[in-house]
C-alpha cells in the first residue's frame, strides 16, 4: 500500500511539473534557436549583482550568438518573454523575430543584490 501511495504521488508530481513547464508558447515563435555561421555576437559579462552593460542591442530576424561569462560570482541568465536561458561559458545562437525590449535577469540566486541584477535586450 505504501509503495502505491508513493507511486501515485510521484506520478502527480510529474504531471504537475510537466504542466508548469509548458511556458509561454508565443515565446518560441519570438526566438528560434539557429545555427548560422555568420551570426553577430553578444557577450554578457556578469559580476556580483551587475552586468557589464545596462542594454544590449540586436536586429530582429538576424541570428545572434549569446555568451555569458562570469567575471565574479556564479550567474545564469534568462531573457524574459523570449524563452532564452544562458549558462556561463556556453554559447547559444538565436534568431529573434519580434522587435521589442526584453528584460535580462540573473536566474541563479547570487546574494544580496540578486533582485536588482537586470539589464535590457533591445531588438530593433
Amino acid at each position: 500500500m505504501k509503495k502505491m501511495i508513493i507511486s501515485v504521488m510521484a506520478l502527480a508530481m510529474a504531471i504537475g511539473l510537466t504542466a508548469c513547464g509548458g511556458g509561454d508558447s508565443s515565446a518560441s515563435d519570438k526566438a528560434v534557436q539557429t545555427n548560422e555561421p555568420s551570426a553577430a555576437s553578444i557577450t554578457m559579462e556578469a559580476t556580483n549583482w551587475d552586468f557589464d552593460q545596462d542594454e544590449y542591442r540586436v536586429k530582429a530576424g538576424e541570428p545572434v550568438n549569446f555568451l555569458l561569462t562570469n567575471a565574479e560570482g556564479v550567474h545564469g541568465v534568462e531573457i524574459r518573454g523570449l524563452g532564452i536561458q544562458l549558462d556561463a561559458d556556453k554559447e547559444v545562437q538565436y534568431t529573434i523575430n519580434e522587435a521589442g525590449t526584453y528584460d535580462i535577469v540573473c536566474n541563479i540566486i547570487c546574494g544580496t543584490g540578486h533582485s536588482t541584477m537586470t539589464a535590457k535586450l533591445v531588438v530593433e
Side-chain angles (χ1 to χ4, degrees), residues 42-43 45 50-57 118-120:
I42 288 184
T43 298
E45 184 177 274
D50 204 9
F51 293 104
D52 63 323
Q53 295 181 40
D54 292 329
E55 183 179 280
Y56 302 88
R57 292 184 170 270
T118 62
K120 299 284 183 192

Side-chain angles (χ1 to χ4, degrees), residues 38-44 56-58 63-67 91 93:
S38 60
S41 292
I42 288 184
T43 298
M44 298 176 190
Y56 302 88
R57 292 184 170 270
V58 300
V64 178
N65 291 317
F66 291 95
L67 177 64
E91 189 173 73
Q93 185 182 109

Side-chain angles (χ1 to χ4, degrees), residues 47-117:
T47 59
N48 281 335
W49 316 304
D50 204 9
F51 293 104
D52 63 323
Q53 295 181 40
D54 292 329
E55 183 179 280
Y56 302 88
R57 292 184 170 270
V58 300
K59 293 186 180 186
E62 293 186 7
V64 178
N65 291 317
F66 291 95
L67 177 64
L68 171 66
T69 61
N70 287 330
E72 180 182 27
V74 177
H75 308 281
V77 162
E78 174 187 354
I79 303 177
R80 292 190 173 154
L82 295 177
I84 296 175
Q85 304 279 332
L86 304 177
D87 296 321
D89 301 318
K90 295 181 182 172
E91 189 173 73
V92 293
Q93 185 182 109
Y94 283 89
T95 297
I96 302 169
N97 296 310
E98 189 170 315
T101 301
Y102 301 92
D103 292 326
I104 299 170
V105 298
C106 178
N107 63 1
I108 296 176
I109 297 175
C110 56
T112 57
H114 171 74
S115 64
T116 61
M117 189 171 173

